[in-house]
Amino acid sequence: EVQLLESGGGSVQPGGSLRLSCAASGFTFTNYAMGWVRQAPGKGLEWVSHISGSGINTYYGDSVKGRFIISRDNSKNKLYLQLNSLRAEDTAVYFCAKWGADDPYNYYYGMDVWGQGTTVTVSS
Amino acid sequence: QSALTQPPSVSGSPGQSVTISCTGTSSDVGSYNRVSWYQQPPGTAPRLMIYEVSNRPSGVPDRFSGSKSGNTASLTISGLQAEDEADYYCVSYTSGNIVAFGGGTKVTVL
């Protein structure tokens, strides 16, 4: 069974840092781009970042560029998101998602598997 | 990065059809077929319903269909059922590997 399981969420003060993890199973991890999508309380979904299967190419939304870092360890089938310089507006549920291909630009199959999410709360 | 525009809500009675629009620009929806739709019931993770404008992943009922005209993509739910009540989001993947989400549409089954 294809599965994604996020962890690492919690409460942190403004300016603090947190690292989220996503453990993948049931598919050949290195063959697919992976990403993070977040949802603030009562709000819609927002793209955060995604990374190619090899880990070489990374992409970020404007609201997190320069503060968040996406990475992956293909030997451990794990995806990470390092959250730095956190702000109150970063408070959200963070979902890990698998893209349907390593190169969504040329082979667009959408985000076909999602985790259940991990909650990040930024508050003083 | 501009968000795509969706109506906040649509509603219909069981058995009816509803259509959700997703309006972008000639730089995203209008230029690419990289449009997907996601269903999110309350308190759950999103689920892929449509990819590449009109393709359904396996397991998605055929009463869900997608289309595009110009800068607007659409999701139609035919034969509306109570279980279809959820929030729906469109997504466009554009040049520069930018991902844009719509603001979401709440579908209510009357």
Side-chain angles (χ1 to χ4, degrees), chain B residues 41-67:
Chain B
T44 70
R47 174 193 179 191
L48 176 67
M49 305 302 284
I50 296 285
Y51 65 93
E52 209 171 29
V53 176
S54 60
N55 295 302
R56 274 187 313 275
S58 60
V60 173
D62 60 7
R63 51 202 181 74
F64 289 87
S65 62
S67 62

Side-chain angles (χ1 to χ4, degrees), chain A residues 37 39 43-47 50 59-62 65 95 99 103-106 108-112 114-116, chain B residues 1 32-36 38 40 44-48 51-52 89 91 93-99 101-103:
Chain A
V37 173
Q39 186 168 35
K43 303 296 185 182
L45 300 171
E46 179 189 12
W47 170 62
H50 66 278
Y59 310 97
Y60 298 93
D62 285 346
K65 200 173 296 183
F95 295 101
W99 285 89
D103 179 5
Y105 185 78
N106 288 306
Y108 190 72
Y109 302 108
M111 290 174 276
D112 59 357
W114 294 68
Q116 289 305 303
Chain B
Q1 290 139 4
Y32 305 95
N33 285 334
R34 302 177 192 93
V35 176
S36 51
Y38 300 83
Q40 188 183 33
T44 70
R47 174 193 179 191
L48 176 67
Y51 65 93
E52 209 171 29
Y89 296 87
V91 171
Y93 193 102
T94 67
S95 63
N97 291 280
I98 302 300
V99 180
F101 272 85

Side-chain angles (χ1 to χ4, degrees), chain A residues 31-104:
Chain A
N31 286 356
Y32 298 94
M34 297 291 297
W36 294 94
V37 173
R38 69 183 181 183
Q39 186 168 35
K43 303 296 185 182
L45 300 171
E46 179 189 12
W47 170 62
V48 174
S49 177
H50 66 278
I51 185 170
S52 62
S54 66
I56 291 175
N57 299 309
T58 58
Y59 310 97
Y60 298 93
D62 285 346
S63 61
V64 307
K65 200 173 296 183
R67 299 188 299 124
F68 290 8
I69 301 171
I70 192 170
S71 62
R72 63 192 294 163
D73 185 336
N74 287 345
S75 68
K76 296 181 179 179
N77 286 0
K78 282 198 167 182
L79 174 72
Y80 303 100
L81 186 68
Q82 178 68 38
L83 288 66
N84 299 321
S85 303
L86 282 162
R87 307 166 180 166
E89 53 265 35
D90 295 319
T91 294
V93 174
Y94 285 73
F95 295 101
C96 169
K98 167 187 170 290
W99 285 89
D102 182 36
D103 179 5

Side-chain angles (χ1 to χ4, degrees), chain B residues 18-44:
Chain B
V18 296
T19 296
I20 303 167
S21 60
C22 171
T23 302
T25 68
S26 57
S27 298
D28 43 55
V29 174
S31 292
Y32 305 95
N33 285 334
R34 302 177 192 93
V35 176
S36 51
W37 290 90
Y38 300 83
Q39 176 194 63
Q40 188 183 33
T44 70

